[in-house]
Amino acid sequence: MASEPVLSIRNLVKRFGGLVAVNDVSLDVFPGEVVALLGDNGAGKSTLIKCVSGVHSPTGGHIIFEGEEVHFSRPIEARDHGIETIYQDLALANNLDVPGNVFLGREVEKSYLGGLLRPLDNKFMLAQTASALASLHAEIPSLEVPIESLSGGQRQAVAIARAVYWQARLMIMDEPTNNLGVPEQHKVLDLIRALRDRGVPVILISHTLPEVFAVSDRLVVMHRGRKVTEKKVGDTNSEEIVQYMVGALDDTRTPAPVA
Ligand SMILES: Nc1ncnc2c1ncn2[C@@H]1O[C@H](COP(=O)(O)OP(=O)(O)O)[C@@H](O)[C@H]1O
Ligand SMILES: [Mg+2]
């Protein structure tokens, strides 16, 4: 690819005490690309992306975002750089409505009496939220209801609309279709494509290989903390990827000498 990577991870290591959760992983993500991060439970996928999103500080290695090395010590620092992450548990505020979630921590206020009164500009936030959702062709009947009353797919749409509205430069999604029904899974995949079509690269963690093959450009497989392969989607298939996920294939292993 001719363009510069949006994200370069170099020789990343993350230890928890004696456990090496991420072991010397390097990885590039280019503009407008969907990169799937695959691996069995405990492979280190979530830990790797949490190093990028500011949840964990890496033990070693480098993270280069848009050409500059970054050291995030809190998730808000990553968000301020345009790295939006949807974690396995989603992290929306259940009791707030849809605009309340899109503008969470970044609420827009009106100003009266020279700033003496600063009520929230709910009308503005509602209109902006509605247009962000419309631009993604996401249908949510009413925005002024608590998020907890929405379906799983609608909640994903809200999280993605938040990323679009705040002009995310990189979207990270950790198992976004877990616990969703099939029609909703398809909607989330459409949302991922909509992000990609806007040039926003996506790192997608998923266990569902058919959906990974349907939406990704490149696949990266981790096994026990290490990256064991990286393939273009057209150069591999589910059977081969499973072999890498279970550790039967490993591109980093030196071949056994021929006797
Ligand atoms: N906060 C933590 N403290 C200690 N160990 C952790 C922590 N988070 C993850 N681990 C361990 O790191 C390894 C990788 O976990 P994780 O990144 O969640 O894997 P995956 O997302 O691929 O299932 C596992 O052995 C897990 O138990
Ligand atoms: Mg995980």
Side-chain angles (χ1 to χ4, degrees):
M1 225 171 290
S3 51
E4 293 292 306
V6 175
L7 174 73
S8 293
I9 298 170
R10 286 292 170 272
N11 307 108
L12 200 94
V13 176
K14 178 63 186 177
R15 289 178 208 273
F16 295 110
L19 179 97
V20 187
V22 175
N23 191 354
D24 198 26
V25 171
S26 297
L27 166 64
D28 287 321
V29 179
F30 290 91
E33 192 184 33
V34 179
V35 177
L37 189 55
L38 302 164
D40 207 353
N41 282 330
K45 309 178 297 293
S46 294
T47 303
L48 177 67
I49 61 105
K50 283 177 176 170
C51 288
V52 176
S53 67
V55 173
H56 294 316
S57 293
T59 311
H62 306 274
I63 298 171
I64 296 110
F65 186 67
E66 297 188 321
E68 287 188 17
E69 180 152 10
V70 290
H71 303 272
F72 302 132
S73 43
R74 290 177 307 146
I76 187 69
E77 295 173 11
R79 275 187 82 190
D80 285 346
H81 277 73
I83 300 175
E84 286 279 342
T85 309
I86 300 180
Y87 298 100
Q88 274 166 298
D89 51 13
L90 208 56
L92 292 172
N94 277 326
N95 54 326
L96 296 180
D97 66 7
V98 177
N101 272 279
V102 170
F103 284 87
L104 187 65
R106 296 160 162 172
E107 289 83 358
V108 176
E109 297 171 332
K110 290 185 281 198
S111 177
Y112 294 125
L113 302 174
L116 215 58
L117 290 179
R118 295 191 159 275
L120 293 181
D121 194 343
N122 290 321
K123 207 172 139 190
F124 174 83
M125 291 191 280
L126 179 62
Q128 295 292 311
T129 299
S131 75
L133 285 163
S135 77
L136 292 165
H137 307 288
E139 284 156 35
I140 298 182
S142 171
L143 302 185
E144 292 174 285
V145 296
I147 282 280
E148 62 199 344
S149 68
L150 301 182
S151 72
Q154 289 170 333
R155 291 151 57 90
Q156 290 289 336
V158 172
I160 293 170
R162 179 167 73 184
V164 166
Y165 182 74
W166 294 104
Q167 300 187 321
R169 315 282 304 147
L170 171 67
M171 185 83 200
I172 301 174
M173 305 175 85
D174 195 346
E175 310 208 25
T177 58
N178 252 13
N179 311 317
L180 295 188
V182 173
E184 295 232 282
Q185 290 177 9
H186 286 294
K187 288 210 172 118
V188 170
L189 296 189
D190 286 341
L191 289 166
I192 292 172
R193 293 189 186 101
L195 279 174
R196 183 204 42 210
D197 292 347
R198 287 151 180 262
V200 180
V202 179
I203 299 176
L204 170 67
I205 298 178
S206 168
H207 278 115
T208 314
L209 289 181
E211 85 178 28
V212 162
F213 274 86
V215 81
S216 309
D217 301 295
R218 223 145 38 84
L219 314 178
V220 170
V221 184
M222 292 179 69
H223 182 67
R224 295 186 182 166
R226 293 184 311 113
K227 174 172 136 180
V228 291
T229 197
E230 173 176 339
K231 302 258 184 201
K232 282 192 191 148
V233 74
D235 295 342
T236 186
N237 56 60
S238 305
E239 291 74 25
E240 187 182 51
I241 290 300
V242 169
Q243 296 288 303
Y244 281 106
M245 288 171 65
V246 301
L249 288 174
D250 181 344
D251 292 352
T252 67
R253 210 153 45 198
T254 44
V258 182

